[in-house]
Amino acid sequence: MFAPDELTDDGFLGGRLRVLQPRRGYRAATDPVLLAAAVPAEPGQSVLELGCGVGVASLCLAARVPGLRLAGLELQPAYAALARENAARNGVALEVVEGDLARMPAPLRASFDHVIANPPYYPAGGGTGAADPGRERAMREATPLGLWIGAGIRRLAPRGLLSLIFGADRLPDALAALDARMGSTVVLPLQARAGREAKRVILQSRKGGKGTFRLLPPFVLHEGDRHDGDRESFTPPAAQILRGGGVFPFRLI
């Protein structure tokens, strides 16, 4: 577990959420906030987050949608403990279960209206590993992306929605992992700035969906063509999500 001096107390959604994170380990940034903003959950529905880390995506979703039944699965016990603490300090009912999605723990072998995930960004092998073991495990794939998606599909109720955010270079792998049970798939590219290559995407797919595949226009996060000093320079729609706790100005599915 983390000692108090190994943690930072960070604000999300313009300070509406206070989240403890490891100073040197994996630290949530914009991805889980953007993921939560894409999920069209409604009060009373159930949501499972695979690889919940310290709980940021689930907490952001709870801040926007009251009355959700939230569960999270986390492999690393220290991060699972932080997720429980963060849920308690923000007044959110989040059941966090420690375990491996490849061997789904019994308490989570149920059906959910939504399954969400921010899978590890880097594929297994190659590259320089992170110095911190927790960050390395969170950022580098040990369980193949296809198994993440397969685990999510199995946990979805009929007509349930799978929502993922990941690196754009993994999109072919993700689409290949969506089997015949899934349909109405939508991909939203995320651009740091207009005209730049999209480095991340959000993918949504519905269990039992019959719609055709759709590729949406890119969503731009920052104004201008370069970083301007210390200003965040978020576009108004991005600021409404990242600081205001809002949703995308369009519905993906």
Side-chain angles (χ1 to χ4, degrees):
M1 301 303 170
F2 297 103
D5 62 355
E6 296 176 317
L7 300 173
T8 61
D9 190 343
D10 302 311
F12 285 83
L13 305 184
R16 289 171 61 191
L17 294 175
R18 301 301 309 184
V19 175
L20 295 174
Q21 300 198 84
R23 194 179 298 275
R24 291 177 52 83
Y26 171 73
R27 295 176 56 79
T30 59
D31 280 10
V33 187
L34 293 166
L35 175 61
V39 179
E42 299 178 359
Q45 289 189 324
S46 57
V47 182
L48 169 63
E49 182 180 0
L50 300 177
C52 68
V54 301
V56 173
S58 291
L59 297 180
C60 287
L61 189 54
R64 176 169 58 85
V65 185
L68 293 174
R69 290 174 287 135
L70 295 164
L73 174 66
E74 175 51 42
L75 181 63
Q76 302 190 70
Y79 287 79
L82 279 182
R84 296 186 190 101
E85 185 171 354
N86 286 330
R89 71 202 305 255
N90 286 283
V92 173
L94 170 63
E95 178 190 8
V96 180
V97 178
E98 294 173 24
D100 188 340
L101 62 84
R103 297 179 294 276
M104 188 65 64
L108 299 180
R109 292 176 191 167
S111 294
F112 295 84
D113 298 302
H114 296 271
V115 174
I116 66 175
N118 178 15
Y121 198 85
Y122 301 109
T128 302
D132 179 83
R135 177 176 173 82
E136 175 68 7
R137 173 162 269 185
M139 295 293 290
R140 191 170 301 279
E141 179 182 280
T143 302
L145 180 60
L147 289 184
W148 282 75
I149 291 173
I153 292 172
R154 287 190 293 275
R155 299 279 65 81
L156 282 173
R159 304 294 298 170
L161 195 63
L162 177 70
S163 299
L164 307 170
I165 186 168
F166 51 84
D169 60 327
R170 307 306 308 279
L171 182 57
D173 298 324
L175 292 175
L178 293 174
D179 60 29
R181 291 172 288 180
M182 305 300 289
S184 306
T185 302
V186 174
V187 171
L188 173 65
L190 300 173
Q191 288 180 320
R193 300 181 189 277
R196 295 199 182 176
E197 181 179 336
K199 296 293 188 180
R200 291 170 291 171
V201 297
I202 293 174
L203 179 149
Q204 284 189 337
S205 189
R206 188 176 298 283
K207 194 169 190 176
K210 302 300 182 184
T212 58
F213 173 82
R214 295 163 54 223
L215 179 63
L216 300 180
F219 183 80
V220 180
L221 296 173
H222 295 276
E223 296 177 323
D225 59 359
R226 63 179 61 86
H227 183 63
D228 182 15
D230 292 330
R231 292 195 316 113
E232 289 181 330
S233 67
F234 289 126
T235 62
Q240 177 59 22
I241 291 172
L242 297 169
R243 298 293 174 254
V247 297
F248 285 92
F250 47 83
R251 182 162 170 160
L252 278 70
I253 291 183

